Amino acid sequence: MRFIAICAKAAIPSFLLMAAVYMAAADSPSVTVRGYVLDSACAFTKDLSKPISKQCATSCANAGSQLVILAEDGTIYWPIAPTTPSSGQNPKLLPFAADKVIVTGKVYQRGGSKAIVIDKIEAQSPLK
């Protein structure tokens, strides 16, 4: 009986932590971002306003570099997973490497960085 009581006490803080994380995620705004999918290293080191080429972005991603979304206003959004343990988002972004996209999802901000949990991603038509 004592073992069960100890396990129950340990489970309560875990449950409260999971509930707090879920509630914080629910409070994050859902936004639509328009921009390019490109390699994170190029976004910072080359100060690009758009990708060099699809081949370049794809090669960097396949080599392990994180793909990011460079918004039209210059903001860089780091795609993140909504799950714990987390997972990389390159497989979701790779089909759109170097393309202009429309992304909808929840945005998180911390210390000047922005991250987005992607709910929907689609190629932006050239007319938009």
Side-chain angles (χ1 to χ4, degrees):
M1 277 301 207
R2 184 174 175 181
F3 177 75
I4 293 172
I6 291 171
C7 290
K9 286 181 183 178
I12 291 171
S14 298
F15 173 76
L16 291 176
L17 177 62
M18 288 187 323
V21 168
Y22 177 77
M23 289 184 346
D27 290 342
S28 295
S30 184
V31 300
T32 299
V33 176
R34 296 173 187 268
Y36 287 101
V37 174
L38 77 156
D39 164 51
S40 56
C42 283
F44 286 99
T45 62
K46 296 185 180 2
D47 196 29
L48 298 178
S49 59
K50 64 180 187 176
I52 295 170
S53 70
K54 188 165 195 77
Q55 181 183 5
C56 183
T58 301
S59 294
C60 289
N62 287 333
S65 187
Q66 174 66 45
L67 292 171
V68 296
I69 300 157
L70 176 62
E72 292 173 341
D73 68 359
T75 302
I76 295 174
Y77 290 86
W78 294 89
I80 59 172
T83 58
T84 302
S86 190
S87 59
Q89 297 300 290
N90 273 8
K92 187 181 282 189
L93 293 164
L94 202 51
F96 302 97
D99 292 341
K100 202 161 193 182
V101 294
I102 301 170
V103 178
T104 304
K106 293 190 184 286
V107 171
Y108 299 85
Q109 187 170 343
R110 182 171 182 174
S113 293
K114 288 192 176 185
I116 187 166
V117 173
I118 299 172
D119 291 328
K120 181 180 176 187
I121 184 170
E122 61 186 356
Q124 184 174 334
S125 71
L127 300 175
K128 290 186 180 180

